[in-house]
């Protein structure tokens, strides 16, 4: 598999945009500022939805920023070589995104008061979303079937490693004051209240009309049409737009359409084995 990922400390990364040298430098030397805000996710958990929401909070529901700047420039990915170069020298408070597992994250995170937002999603939906996304991307080894991808996912042989380790690692921070855990499922179920919780954490207040505008412009349908957010600006050698869309379905529970009964049972067993000792109310999809 070695030519199909960039490997760093046992974790596979997409082979475009990542280098072990940068990843080492980020871990050892990147210093978080107390005013920074970080969006932390395992890939396909709703990262870009959360970025759009936070950009709209910063803009008080105004759409100028989200309609004029690509989403990956508004909140760059810390671990990509490009994102790292940009963020390293940026003055003032920074908004940034990361899929890094906690053990590869800048060590400064443990001392910093930067605001950390971890967005969790049912791993079954993460798996299905990832299966379709990686199939249309040219960033990692392509799975040949969902069955094969399920096997890779359970073993942590997918980009950014094991969902189980990623989640366990970041949830170990959940009692810290500067850490907020949200889920894709609660965002879907009650977007308004979840956004208000987020505003409170960020120390921001929105007027009712500002909140209404945010809800409209971060909705799946509107984001799907926003070329600054829907990834149609990604070159087609990276994302094959003819074969599928980054903004695929945007729903909870889509795994039920794709998992066989046997696959669902296997996944339940693995989830139980790996996560049983954590409070189950952390996982709001059951
Ligand atoms: S990535 O590539 O890891 O950054 O992807 P990420 O943004 O984490 O996740 C992509 C999935 O999020 C869905 N999405 C949304 N759902 C609901 N509402 C909005 N506004 C929204 N925007 C993106 C997107 O469709 C992917 O999920 P699936 O299940 O594939 O549709």
């Amino acid at each position: 598999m070695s030519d199909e990922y960039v490997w760093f400390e046992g974790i596979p990364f997409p082979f475009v945009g990542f280098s072990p040298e940068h990843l080492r430098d980020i871990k050892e030397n990147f210093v978080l500022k107390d005013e920074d805000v970080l969006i932390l996710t395992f890939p396909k958990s709703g990262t870009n939805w959360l970025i759009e929401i936070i950009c709209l909070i910063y803009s008080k529901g105004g759409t100028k920023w989200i309609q004029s700047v690509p989403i990956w420039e508004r909140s760059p990915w810390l671990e990509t070589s490009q994102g790292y170069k940009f963020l390293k020298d940026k003055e003032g408070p920074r908004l940034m995104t990361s899929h890094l597992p906690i053990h590869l994250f800048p060590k400064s995170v443990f001392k910093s008061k930067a605001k950390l937002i971890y967005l969790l999603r049912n791993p079954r939906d993460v798996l299905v979303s990832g299966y379709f996304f990686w199939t249309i991307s040219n960033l990692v080894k392509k799975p040949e079937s969902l069955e094969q991808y399920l096997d890779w996912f359970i073993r942590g042989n997918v980009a950014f490693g094991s969902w189980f380790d990623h989640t366990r690692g970041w949830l170990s921070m959940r009692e810290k004051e500067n850490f907020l855990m949200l889920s894709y499922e609660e965002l879907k179920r009650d977007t308004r209240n979840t956004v208000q919780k987020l505003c409170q954490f960020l120390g921001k207040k929105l007027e009712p009309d500002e909140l209404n505008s945010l809800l409209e412009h971060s909705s799946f349908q509107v984001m799907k049409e926003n070329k600054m957010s829907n990834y149609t600006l990604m070159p087609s050698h990276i994302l094959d737009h003819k074969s599928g869309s980054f903004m695929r379905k945007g729903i909870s529970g889509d795994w039920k359409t794709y998992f066989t009964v046997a696959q669902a049972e296997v996944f339940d067993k693995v989830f139980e084995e790996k996560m049983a000792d954590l409070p189950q109310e952390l996982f709001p999809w059951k």
Side-chain angles (χ1 to χ4, degrees), residues 57-274:
I57 293 176
Y58 281 18
S59 310
K60 292 197 150 286
T63 57
K64 194 169 162 221
W65 195 25
I66 64 159
Q67 289 175 352
S68 60
V69 181
I71 196 156
W72 53 83
E73 286 179 22
R74 285 183 256 136
S75 181
W77 265 259
L78 171 63
E79 59 271 20
T80 62
S81 302
Q82 221 182 357
Y84 176 49
K85 271 188 225 147
F86 176 81
L87 290 165
K88 198 165 58 152
D89 302 322
K90 189 170 184 289
E91 294 190 358
R94 296 166 297 190
L95 175 63
M96 61 187 114
T97 302
S98 180
H99 292 319
L100 284 173
I102 195 166
H103 72 285
L104 299 185
F105 208 75
K107 290 175 177 167
S108 58
V109 72
F110 298 105
K111 288 197 221 112
S112 167
K113 294 196 182 83
K115 292 196 162 87
L116 311 173
I117 306 161
Y118 191 71
L119 180 67
L120 189 69
R121 186 182 191 187
N122 186 335
R124 299 160 186 86
D125 284 333
V126 167
L127 189 159
V128 168
S129 180
Y131 169 68
F132 285 105
F133 178 72
W134 299 121
T135 305
I136 64 164
S137 85
N138 285 313
L139 298 167
V140 299
K141 180 176 180 172
K142 283 181 198 281
E144 282 161 20
S145 64
L146 185 76
E147 179 75 17
Q148 185 185 51
Y149 190 71
L150 188 136
D151 178 55
W152 293 354
F153 189 93
I154 284 173
R155 290 190 288 119
N157 267 334
V158 293
F160 296 89
S162 158
W163 179 91
F164 304 96
D165 294 347
H166 199 280
T167 303
R168 291 187 75 88
W170 280 111
L171 289 192
S172 69
M173 301 279 276
R174 67 187 183 278
E175 301 299 338
K176 294 192 78 174
E177 236 174 62
N178 61 331
F179 187 88
L180 176 71
M181 196 197 103
L182 296 176
S183 69
Y184 183 95
E185 288 71 23
E186 66 178 322
L187 253 184
K188 271 294 319 173
R189 207 171 37 240
D190 190 351
T191 318
R192 184 178 290 270
N193 270 324
T194 313
V195 169
Q196 277 166 339
K197 190 158 121 186
L198 184 55
C199 284
Q200 199 170 18
F201 178 72
L202 293 172
K204 307 274 184 197
K205 187 163 177 348
L206 294 180
E207 297 303 326
D209 59 326
E210 296 167 346
L211 179 56
N212 287 339
S213 170
L214 177 153
L215 295 174
E216 181 191 340
H217 292 284
S218 60
S219 70
F220 183 81
Q221 285 69 22
V222 175
M223 257 185 89
K224 196 175 164 71
E225 298 305 318
N226 180 1
K227 68 176 191 304
M228 294 297 158
S229 310
N230 64 13
Y231 281 76
T232 52
L233 291 180
M234 270 279 141
S236 52
H237 67 272
I238 294 189
L239 215 51
D240 178 3
H241 302 290
K242 284 196 227 83
S243 308
S245 167
F246 172 84
M247 300 291 296
R248 196 183 60 92
K249 285 195 189 167
I251 58 171
S252 299
D254 194 34
W255 66 273
K256 291 175 194 157
T257 315
Y258 296 98
F259 279 32
T260 62
V261 172
Q263 286 169 341
E265 282 173 6
V266 167
F267 200 96
D268 285 352
K269 193 158 170 280
V270 173
F271 190 92
E272 173 75 18
E273 277 165 18
K274 292 188 187 275

Side-chain angles (χ1 to χ4, degrees), residues 36-52:
D36 290 341
V37 172
L38 286 96
I39 296 165
L40 307 165
T41 61
F42 190 85
K44 314 319 291 181
S45 301
T47 324
N48 288 274
W49 186 15
L50 185 56
I51 297 175
E52 198 83 332

